[in-house]
Amino acid sequence: MRTEGKGERRARGRAASNGDDTVFILDEVDEQIIAALRQNGRVANRDLARDMGVNEATVRTRLRRLEEANMLRVVAMRDLRAMGFEYLAPVGVQVKGRSAADVGADIGKLDRVITVNIAIGTHDLEIQVVAETLEEIQHLLTNVIPKIPGVERLFPSLALKVHKYNHEWAPL
């Protein structure tokens, strides 16, 4: 096993073939590939290799290794604002009479709910809701979500301005 050198970072990946946890060392080339794909997920391996000053086979091999270790995936993402969703509301949910997992599964079926997390603390669930209008948020928070069996109480907020949303990380 290699030790970390300058410009390298340890990362734990799960190989797709056998499911074993393996410690990978991400070096500068891996980091450059990931950074380039964050900017343009459709960039050709040939162009990426040229821009990085490495062989195209190097890029192809590194990409395959990162993908097989489930450390990288290139996916299309929706741009919420471009789709007309002007409002984002983080909401804490207290659950009573049912498991948080069951209530979360029901809430997760709603189209306008984009995340559902089982939490520890004052809320049993933390969700995020998107909407095109304030009226739509009001309807979701007063008429739809509270009617789901097991929802005891909601603690909504309204994101006035999103300062950071790191779309570069996939959910756990």
Side-chain angles (χ1 to χ4, degrees):
M1 180 164 89
R2 290 181 10 201
T3 58
E4 275 182 80
K6 185 174 181 177
E8 296 180 335
R9 185 170 55 184
R10 288 181 169 278
R12 184 169 301 279
R14 184 173 299 259
S17 58
N18 60 14
D20 292 338
D21 276 344
T22 307
V23 175
F24 292 95
I25 303 296
L26 297 181
D27 65 12
E28 190 61 34
V29 174
D30 295 325
E31 294 290 351
Q32 286 179 348
I33 291 170
I34 293 168
L37 289 171
R38 285 180 183 145
Q39 297 301 311
N40 178 5
R42 299 173 119 185
V43 67
N45 289 350
R46 176 186 66 247
D47 296 334
L48 186 54
R50 183 194 64 230
D51 293 346
M52 292 175 55
V54 298
N55 187 302
E56 182 180 351
T58 299
V59 171
R60 190 173 41 254
T61 301
R62 298 290 186 106
L63 277 172
R64 186 177 316 114
R65 180 178 57 88
L66 290 167
E67 288 174 339
E68 286 174 355
N70 293 322
M71 295 177 67
L72 171 80
R73 62 181 162 187
V74 179
V75 297
M77 294 187 60
R78 296 177 178 181
D79 183 329
L80 294 173
R81 177 149 295 154
M83 294 177 66
F85 296 112
E86 296 293 325
Y87 298 96
L88 173 68
V91 181
V93 181
Q94 280 185 345
V95 173
K96 186 175 182 182
R98 289 179 71 200
S99 74
D102 289 345
V103 174
D106 287 348
I107 290 174
K109 293 175 185 174
L110 301 174
D111 288 337
R112 297 297 194 245
V113 174
I114 61 171
T115 64
V116 177
N117 303 301
I118 295 177
I120 213 170
T122 57
H123 311 122
D124 300 304
L125 299 170
E126 292 178 355
I127 67 173
Q128 286 188 338
V129 177
V130 294
E132 295 176 19
T133 65
L134 283 174
E135 291 78 19
E136 185 178 12
I137 289 235
Q138 178 185 355
H139 176 71
L140 285 165
L141 297 179
T142 59
N143 298 324
V144 178
I145 296 173
K147 301 248 176 11
I148 293 174
V151 172
E152 174 73 11
R153 188 169 177 201
L154 299 179
F155 298 88
S157 297
L158 182 61
L160 298 176
K161 181 173 183 160
V162 177
H163 283 281
K164 178 181 179 180
Y165 179 80
N166 191 344
H167 62 279
E168 298 167 357
W169 292 89
L172 297 175

